[in-house]
Amino acid sequence: MAYSLKMFDSKPGVIVVNSTGYASIVTHSHDFVEMGFVTDGQGMGLVEGKYAKLGTGDMFVIADKTVSHSIQPIEGGGEMKLVNVIFPFEYFDLDWSLFQPLAVVPLDKIPYGREILNELQKEYAEKLPYGETRMKSLANLLLTGYLRFVTGRRSASRSGKAAQKLQTAGYIEKAVKYIHENYDRPITVDDVANECGLCKAYLQRIFKKEASTTIKEYIIKYRIEQSCKLLLSTDFSVSMIAEMVGFFNLKYFYLKFKQIVGDSPRNYKTVQEGYGK
């Protein structure tokens, strides 16, 4: 069962709560934003059946009224200590959908993160003039620092994936070009891999993924395709054509031709020439 917590009435817009142990062990949701900071120990943040590990120095943000979450202990994690900073959604003009509840950010990744949190706790405790204004500024620094780290990491990940995809496409293009230029020779998968400067296993894996066929199958299909062109454009014998496209075993050529084209080389030539009349 999940419980719904309401934002309690308080004069300051930012509230800082220190807790020891697992005060959030009960699954709950709430209508306010919660920034959580683990100051000691380890645990597990559970959100809608998924989890993220939490350790000393970690920061998380719950900014979704609909999600149910809790913090659970882990074996050997010690007693967890948390600082929770809470405030209404309308306190800041931010896109709250960017805050993913399972995105955990080390506070050290936010410039002056620890110092800002300490100042925020101090302002809340001392309640000096203009304290609320200062707390709002400090909370905003933590939020935007968190966002910058999370969205920057996503952008870097997307850029890295795009670069990798482009590199993979280059390898496939190089492999295909080599096959097209050398299909008439007894080339092997090792030869193609060496041309690309890759280990055979890696090239085979990316080729299969991108081209939906193996390198060996691609070589055979390309050779059969070229043999079909020669059958229709020349009067060379089948055995000569087989050698011209890289098949040096005539029986094997007949076998692969039948599998791919669905007919024998001679029948294919006869039928296709009949269509042309």
Side-chain angles (χ1 to χ4, degrees):
M1 180 181 291
Y3 294 88
S4 179
L5 304 181
K6 298 295 182 180
M7 183 70 183
F8 49 87
D9 294 332
S10 180
K11 188 176 181 181
V14 179
I15 299 171
V16 181
V17 180
N18 289 276
S19 60
T20 301
Y22 294 87
S24 298
I25 200 169
V26 176
T27 302
H28 63 281
S29 60
H30 45 65
D31 65 352
F32 51 84
V33 180
E34 173 188 0
M35 288 194 295
F37 304 88
V38 183
T39 57
D40 197 19
Q42 293 179 312
M44 208 166 42
L46 295 179
V47 180
E48 304 290 347
K50 298 180 181 179
Y51 72 91
K53 291 183 179 179
L54 297 170
T56 303
D58 283 340
M59 172 186 177
F60 61 91
V61 179
I62 306 295
D64 188 334
K65 298 178 183 180
T66 64
V67 301
S68 298
H69 59 280
S70 65
I71 295 176
Q72 302 290 331
I74 58 175
E75 186 176 354
E79 189 174 45
M80 179 179 272
K81 294 181 180 180
L82 291 170
V83 175
N84 295 101
V85 179
I86 62 178
F87 45 85
F89 279 90
E90 59 269 18
Y91 211 60
F92 296 102
D93 184 18
L94 292 170
D95 182 358
W96 298 112
S97 67
L98 295 174
F99 293 86
Q100 301 301 313
L102 290 174
V104 178
V105 174
L107 191 55
D108 289 337
K109 295 296 184 181
I110 297 174
Y112 307 104
R114 291 180 184 270
E115 292 85 347
I116 294 170
L117 178 60
N118 290 337
E119 280 296 310
L120 186 55
Q121 290 178 277
K122 182 180 176 182
E123 285 291 340
Y124 184 75
E126 294 181 348
K127 306 222 173 5
L128 297 174
Y130 308 106
E132 183 178 353
T133 301
R134 194 146 190 271
M135 283 192 294
K136 183 174 182 180
S137 299
L138 293 167
N140 192 42
L141 284 172
L142 290 170
L143 281 172
T144 52
Y146 172 96
L147 262 186
R148 181 172 289 179
F149 179 81
V150 171
T151 56
R153 187 168 53 182
R154 289 175 189 161
S155 297
S157 176
R158 285 194 293 268
S159 297
K161 288 179 180 178
Q164 185 178 22
K165 191 171 183 64
L166 189 62
Q167 185 181 50
T168 298
Y171 288 139
I172 302 302
E173 184 179 350
K174 192 170 185 177
V176 168
K177 184 174 183 292
Y178 179 79
I179 292 169
H180 288 187
E181 293 177 350
N182 297 277
Y183 70 91
D184 56 338
R185 300 192 301 107
I187 58 172
T188 64
V189 176
D190 285 306
D191 294 327
V192 181
N194 289 336
E195 176 66 18
C196 295
L198 299 174
C199 73
K200 180 169 72 172
Y202 179 69
L203 180 61
Q204 285 178 314
R205 185 166 67 251
I206 63 174
F207 196 98
K208 175 71 172 178
K209 182 179 179 181
E210 298 298 322
S212 300
T213 187
T214 67
I215 298 172
K216 184 177 180 179
E217 288 170 345
Y218 185 87
I219 293 172
I220 291 172
K221 288 177 181 177
Y222 188 75
R223 283 171 170 166
I224 295 298
E225 180 183 326
Q226 299 309 305
S227 72
C228 289
K229 292 179 181 179
L230 289 171
L231 282 167
L232 299 179
S233 62
T234 72
D235 290 323
F236 297 145
S237 66
V238 172
S239 60
M240 182 179 293
I241 288 175
E243 287 192 16
M244 289 174 68
V245 298
F247 283 97
F248 301 98
N249 182 315
L250 187 58
K251 185 177 180 180
Y252 186 64
F253 171 71
Y254 271 102
L255 174 66
K256 302 313 291 185
F257 194 99
K258 178 76 173 181
Q259 286 178 352
I260 295 170
V261 179
D263 206 344
S264 69
R266 288 190 179 87
N267 284 344
Y268 171 80
K269 180 180 177 68
T270 300
V271 170
Q272 293 300 316
E273 287 179 342
Y275 287 146
K277 293 181 180 178

